[in-house]
Amino acid sequence: MACLKEDPILGSNDIKEDSEETEPKDKVREEGGVREMVLPAGNSIHRSGSRPQLDLSGAAIQGNNFEERHPTILLPNQSDDISHLALDIGGSLIKLVYFSRHEDRSIDDKRKRSIKERLGVTNGNRRSYPILGGRLHFVKFETSKINECLDFINSKQLHRGGMDSRLWLSEAPPSDDVIIKATGGGAYKFADLFKERLGVSIDKEDEMDCLVAGANFLLKAIRHEAFTHMEGQKEFVQIDHNDLFPYLLVNIGSGVSMIKIGLSASTIASSFGKTISENKELEDYRPEDISLSLLRMISYNIGQISYLNALRFGLKRIFFGGFFIRGHAYTMDTISFAVQFWSNGDAQAMFLRHEGFLGALGAFMSYEKHGLDDLMVHQLVERFPMGAPYIGGRIHGPPLGDLNEKISWMEKFVQKGTEITAPVPMAPSGTTGLGGFEVPSSKGDTLRSDASALNIGVLHLVPTLEVFPLLADPKMYEPNTIDLADHSELEYWFTVLSEHLPDLVDKAVASEGGTDDAKRRGDAFARAFSAHLARLMEEPAAYGKLGLANLLELREECLREFHFVDAYRSIKQRENEASLAVLPDLLMEIDSMNEETRLLTLIEGVLAANIFDWGSRACVDLYHKGTIIEIYRMSRKKMQRPWRVDDFDIFEERMLGSEDKKPRPHKRALLFVDNSGADVILGMLPLARELLRRGTEVVLVANSLPALNDVTAMELPDIVAEAAKHCDILRRAAEAGGLLVDAMVNIQDGSKDSLSSVPLMVVENGCGSPCIDLRQVSSELAAAAKEADLIILEGMGRALHTNFNARFKCDALKLAMVKNQRLAEKLIKGNIYDCVCRFEPAP
């Protein structure tokens, strides 16, 4: 252990060596189809010889290995209990990181299997470790209330694999071999208490090693982990993980730790003495003034000495973390000012969203085969479930065991303006944890001590997500078009979402039969989402860098959290049936046209059909004035060129060429579809049909999960099958693409007509939002993109709210009708119902 020196005010101060070179990564070897982590010699993190190991012998995947996205891994020969939690027990706070397994199950789908086989998608990147395909949770307790932490661990059975574990039976007696990883001084102090209360042993990990491991993981794996803070303004910084090292990490808790290459472990971080004016007594100062002066002095001192150490080793990047900061705006501003002042602007102070959890996360990573080392930034999705607006990582009240308890929890909160307040306690005043809240008064009390503090979400580990390979420059890609850093822009979109909320709740409740249970869940959803909006209005950076796409995804996640799987299910079905009924006549009309007229009519049809969007208030109002077909015909009649953004002539030349030059057809086109009903059936399907006619493979890309009235990849094959009954082109392509499973027998019997057709395929995009972030797409979509040379993004969410400024390696066509006046003014300097046809040839 490093030599410590104690400062009379700040406490112990540790400085520890760390570098990328001295911390070699774990290696992977493969034997018999099972991938296994091989630890290098000299690994800087202490590995206890008594630690239980995963016995992978006889390991098998439960269910269909090929079909299931997150299969359960059975370890029949595993005898020891393995805990998936770790703690950092400090003098003030206990920080806990724990893992829960993902319960989502994929259904057996022959069509999906056929698409995967055609695209060459395998489970080759599937890890054999139970940690992946689940979630990491971050919670904290006051150390003085450690029994509440123990109650929480016991209630969720975290020390025995968790309540959702399928590998260990929760009713089985705990084994004497159970070990929990922990760091911090309390790991020694409370070891006997953990043994007495939970029957587990504490394996103490080196504190500095844990801080380093935790910081390295967060900076490499979380896209918007680091941020600057100057004059009250937060700005998130994108860190290139290939250019992360070297950096200085300053961890400020009861003491101050500075961690870098070669610093002495005996260096004093800071110290000061009490100074009182000769003409004044201590009583002459107001306590708040003394506190502020002390805070400023300490913060300046830490900032100055941190910079001097950075200067000594030529570092420009300094990260600050620890309990001392806790998201306090004044503290971060003061440290930032000191670093900027002493460096003359050459160095920059940065802070971490998970600053309090570095040690606990590092301790978690010290388990064998945790699997986190291999994760990339695109495989982590941070979500903020119900409670995030209130707790920010701290546990208040009982652990929630099921949806009913979650709804009850929501019903106990009231909202006054933007202030979230707690209810009258369920238990005697002053108690917390199981059965109570944290000392709320009878009138309620705020649960957040500092509005500027950032909230901690749940990290979903999704190893099947990949970066879209056709992005021209993934490092420069920013999906969001609207900058919500502008407060007026933020306020406007919050108002739009709030006004749309009652209608959304009605649709959600109706989708579940309008039962009393559905109404109760709908009310709880409305409360939860309103609380999210209130929190973000108060602190826009609370959940990380905020864009409109993040808000829309947050709404959909909140709906799913209260078990509203598909709020627009019946509406989508009704509109699909109405549109399919008129599709044959539309196709006959299109087929009667010459090539030039047909192409223009098809693009007009896509734009006209894109008017159907239940996420737009203007469009919802239109539904009350006519049927879906009447509105579609009206929209087509108004398709007058030039459109507000009109690159059709360029697109036409690429497709049809000139008199003396006929271009080659595209090899494969990815069509990102939007809404159900007329949008996909009368707009995008006829366009897909035209591409197929020209010999281009077509991949329809749709949502993995429902969002508003957007069509999903699960729904599309049935829509295509119905449309194919009236069109030989669609039928042959759907058969070739594996969408018509019953017809695949004919292909195997030697149907030349089907074999000669180019395929029509459907893949899911990996998300469940009206928008799409192309930094995180499904492995199926990534595989389909490798041979694609045309992308068509359709709809406001995917072509305007996101990706309007995105650049690609291939031809890209962006089509949308603008159904929001403010967006039209901001983005294209136009008006509502203006159209966008932007074509960007391959570079």
Side-chain angles (χ1 to χ4, degrees), residues 215 219 225-227 249 319-320 350-355 358:
L219 290 169
E225 176 64 25
F227 63 94
L249 173 63
F319 296 103
F320 292 86
M350 286 184 280
F351 305 90
L352 304 175
R353 290 186 58 239
H354 292 79
E355 48 86 15
L358 303 185

Side-chain angles (χ1 to χ4, degrees), residues 246-248 260 307-318 346-347:
Y247 67 84
L248 185 68
K260 206 279 173 192
Y307 166 67
L308 292 176
N309 277 292
L311 177 65
R312 179 183 176 190
F313 295 98
L315 305 177
K316 301 289 186 182
R317 192 179 288 158
I318 311 174
D346 289 340

Side-chain angles (χ1 to χ4, degrees), residues 42-55:
N43 192 291
S44 62
I45 294 183
H46 168 68
R47 309 286 188 181
S48 170
S50 63
R51 184 175 302 106
Q53 303 288 308
L54 280 176
D55 185 350

Side-chain angles (χ1 to χ4, degrees), residues 39-216:
L39 294 173
N43 192 291
S44 62
I45 294 183
H46 168 68
R47 309 286 188 181
S48 170
S50 63
R51 184 175 302 106
Q53 303 288 308
L54 280 176
D55 185 350
L56 297 178
S57 60
I61 293 181
Q62 185 181 45
N64 190 321
N65 179 21
F66 193 85
E67 289 300 318
E68 296 185 358
R69 169 169 295 189
H70 303 293
T72 298
I73 299 172
L74 301 179
L75 305 179
N77 299 321
Q78 179 63 44
S79 58
D80 293 325
D81 287 336
I82 296 181
S83 300
H84 289 307
L85 82 154
L87 304 102
D88 178 1
I89 310 176
S92 303
L93 285 180
I94 299 172
K95 284 77 67 178
L96 185 151
V97 173
Y98 73 92
F99 169 80
S100 66
R101 288 174 185 79
H102 205 296
E103 292 298 324
D104 291 350
R105 318 303 306 160
S106 298
I107 65 171
D108 188 9
D109 189 339
K110 293 180 180 178
R111 289 178 295 207
K112 190 171 182 180
R113 183 191 311 156
S114 173
I115 297 296
K116 283 188 173 183
E117 290 173 349
R118 175 177 290 276
L119 297 175
V121 179
T122 67
N123 284 359
N125 67 341
R126 176 79 62 216
R127 279 77 165 181
S128 298
Y129 315 131
I131 189 64
L132 292 175
R135 305 180 178 106
L136 278 179
H137 305 255
F138 302 83
V139 296
K140 57 189 175 185
F141 302 84
E142 293 181 17
T143 306
S144 61
K145 302 170 183 176
I146 189 172
N147 282 316
E148 293 175 9
C149 175
L150 296 172
D151 289 340
F152 179 80
I153 294 172
N154 187 57
S155 68
K156 286 185 172 289
Q157 294 291 289
L158 300 180
H159 57 307
R160 296 161 67 189
M163 290 190 297
D164 58 350
S165 172
R166 299 184 183 184
L167 302 181
W168 303 278
L169 298 176
S170 60
E171 63 270 15
S175 166
D176 292 337
D177 295 327
V178 177
I179 292 174
I180 291 179
K181 307 297 296 184
T183 189
Y188 293 110
K189 180 178 180 181
F190 297 108
D192 292 341
L193 184 60
F194 273 80
K195 189 68 174 179
E196 176 186 339
R197 288 286 311 276
L198 301 177
V200 300
S201 301
I202 295 292
D203 190 0
K204 174 68 168 64
E205 292 293 320
D206 181 82
E207 196 165 356
M208 296 298 103
D209 284 344
C210 289
L211 288 172
V212 169
N216 286 347

Side-chain angles (χ1 to χ4, degrees), residues 450-666:
D450 192 329
S452 69
L454 303 185
N455 294 65
I456 302 298
V458 176
L459 284 183
H460 291 239
L461 316 180
V462 191
T464 55
L465 291 180
E466 298 184 28
V467 177
F468 189 59
L470 292 179
L471 285 173
D473 187 352
K475 292 182 180 178
M476 298 299 295
Y477 169 77
E478 168 54 49
N480 288 287
T481 305
I482 303 299
D483 183 10
L484 294 187
D486 182 337
H487 188 76
S488 63
E489 203 68 40
L490 181 71
E491 191 170 9
Y492 170 78
W493 288 105
F494 275 26
T495 301
V496 169
L497 291 174
S498 296
E499 290 177 348
H500 183 243
L501 190 55
D503 183 70
L504 178 58
V505 172
D506 289 343
K507 296 289 190 303
V509 172
S511 73
E512 298 288 328
T515 63
D516 290 341
D517 172 69
K519 292 176 182 177
R520 187 166 176 245
R521 285 186 284 125
D523 180 66
F525 155 71
R527 288 173 182 262
F529 187 61
S530 296
H532 281 300
L533 293 180
R535 175 68 180 117
L536 290 170
M537 177 59 74
E538 182 182 50
E539 174 49 81
Y543 297 174
K545 187 175 182 180
L546 183 64
L548 184 56
N550 307 103
L551 278 180
L552 297 177
E553 184 173 17
L554 179 65
R555 179 182 62 187
E556 300 304 321
E557 287 294 334
C558 198
L559 273 170
R560 286 188 278 270
E561 188 176 3
F562 290 94
H563 291 196
F564 292 109
V565 179
D566 191 352
Y568 289 80
R569 181 190 299 116
S570 59
I571 293 173
K572 292 193 295 183
Q573 183 176 355
R574 183 172 66 248
E575 293 185 354
N576 286 341
E577 292 172 353
S579 300
L580 284 166
V582 300
L583 178 63
D585 291 339
L586 175 63
L587 296 182
M588 287 181 61
E589 176 188 346
I590 290 173
D591 288 345
S592 68
M593 302 173 181
N594 61 39
E595 194 175 44
E596 291 80 5
T597 304
R598 189 166 69 234
L599 184 62
L600 176 59
T601 300
L602 288 166
I603 298 301
E604 287 178 340
V606 171
L607 294 172
N610 191 235
I611 196 172
F612 298 99
D613 187 346
W614 281 91
S616 165
R617 171 57 59 185
C619 294
V620 171
D621 293 339
L622 280 178
Y623 285 110
H624 301 298
K625 300 176 183 178
T627 67
I628 183 173
I629 301 305
E630 290 171 342
I631 298 170
Y632 170 69
R633 287 172 178 163
M634 174 201 71
S635 181
R636 276 193 67 183
K637 288 179 181 178
K638 292 185 177 181
M639 284 290 113
Q640 299 295 323
R641 294 186 65 198
W643 301 310
R644 192 62 185 178
V645 177
D646 194 337
D647 293 336
F648 175 77
D649 292 341
I650 305 174
F651 176 66
E652 181 185 43
E653 183 176 353
R654 169 62 184 88
M655 294 292 291
L656 306 182
S658 55
E659 293 182 358
D660 58 344
K661 182 180 179 182
K662 290 294 182 181
R664 59 172 179 79
H666 291 96

